[in-house]
Amino acid sequence: MFIPDLIKIKKSHNRKGLFAKKIIKKGETIFHFDGQMGDGAHTNAEALQIDEDKFLESTAKFDDFLNHSCNPNCCIDWQILNLVALKNIQKDEELSFNYNVSEYDLLEGGNFTFKCKCGSKNCLKEIKGFKYLTHIQRKEIQKFISPFLKNKFEQKL
């Protein structure tokens, strides 16, 4: 399996995760998300929500090991579907992004919710999707959310 030069896969808590092989500078592109587009009826837990019923299907490669954090060090450039460093990331630091910036409802179409154990001071404890965030929580992540969620957020204002 091809893995970009900047990252390695290793154990993180009780699961696998992506870790920096060397220092990654803020704003640096880490990798591009690949995959086929599919609908919600034919998706899996590792798919990335792009629109209401449009998902970037998992490639069953290294990017499946990108874990969630309520205080992530990476974000997605939604224009080109790249993972980008939000801050300087140290060698051997785990890479993470906030799943709530892409997923609207992890309960819909099967229960893909999970207990969060990121340990950050703003940890939500359970990740259910953007739909279940408070208005304040939505505003805090607003600049990182997908175009699809931006549209949903603006409709609620």
Side-chain angles (χ1 to χ4, degrees):
M1 158 180 18
F2 167 78
I3 300 174
D5 289 339
L6 293 174
I7 59 176
K8 60 186 170 187
I9 299 170
K10 69 179 200 179
K11 193 168 186 166
S12 170
H13 307 286
N14 292 327
R15 62 193 187 288
K16 291 182 179 178
L18 298 181
F19 289 80
K21 279 171 93 171
K22 56 186 177 182
I23 293 174
I24 301 172
K25 296 198 182 298
K26 178 181 179 178
E28 192 170 347
T29 296
I30 301 166
F31 64 81
H32 176 76
F33 288 93
D34 286 323
Q36 300 292 321
M37 291 295 175
D39 62 30
H42 302 95
T43 194
N44 58 30
E46 290 82 20
L48 187 65
Q49 187 169 18
I50 303 297
D51 208 334
E52 188 76 45
D53 192 36
K54 185 177 179 184
F55 294 81
L56 182 63
E57 291 296 328
S58 163
T59 59
K61 296 181 182 172
F62 69 90
D63 54 353
D64 284 358
F65 302 115
L66 179 62
N67 290 317
H68 165 84
S69 175
C70 296
N71 186 24
N73 55 13
C74 298
C75 66
I76 297 174
D77 177 338
W78 292 103
Q79 303 243 329
I80 52 179
L81 293 176
N82 282 345
L83 186 73
V84 177
L86 277 172
K87 60 182 185 176
N88 289 338
I89 300 171
Q90 300 306 307
K91 181 180 179 185
D92 293 321
E93 184 177 343
E94 184 172 9
L95 307 179
S96 61
F97 90 104
N98 186 337
Y99 290 5
N100 288 317
V101 303
S102 63
E103 306 304 320
Y104 181 65
D105 187 352
L106 289 169
L107 288 169
E108 189 177 322
N111 187 351
F112 296 114
T113 66
F114 60 94
K115 301 286 184 203
C116 183
K117 297 176 183 159
C118 73
S120 67
K121 67 179 181 178
N122 63 329
C123 182
L124 298 173
K125 308 294 183 224
E126 185 174 19
I127 307 306
K128 297 186 275 188
F130 186 81
K131 176 180 179 179
Y132 301 95
L133 299 177
T134 67
H135 183 73
I136 291 169
Q137 291 167 330
R138 290 176 182 182
K139 283 195 76 70
E140 287 172 352
I141 63 171
Q142 183 177 3
K143 70 180 188 176
F144 303 110
I145 61 178
S146 69
F148 160 62
L149 291 181
K150 276 188 170 100
N151 187 40
K152 286 245 184 222
F153 182 67
E154 289 167 0
Q155 289 174 7
K156 301 231 185 248
L157 292 177

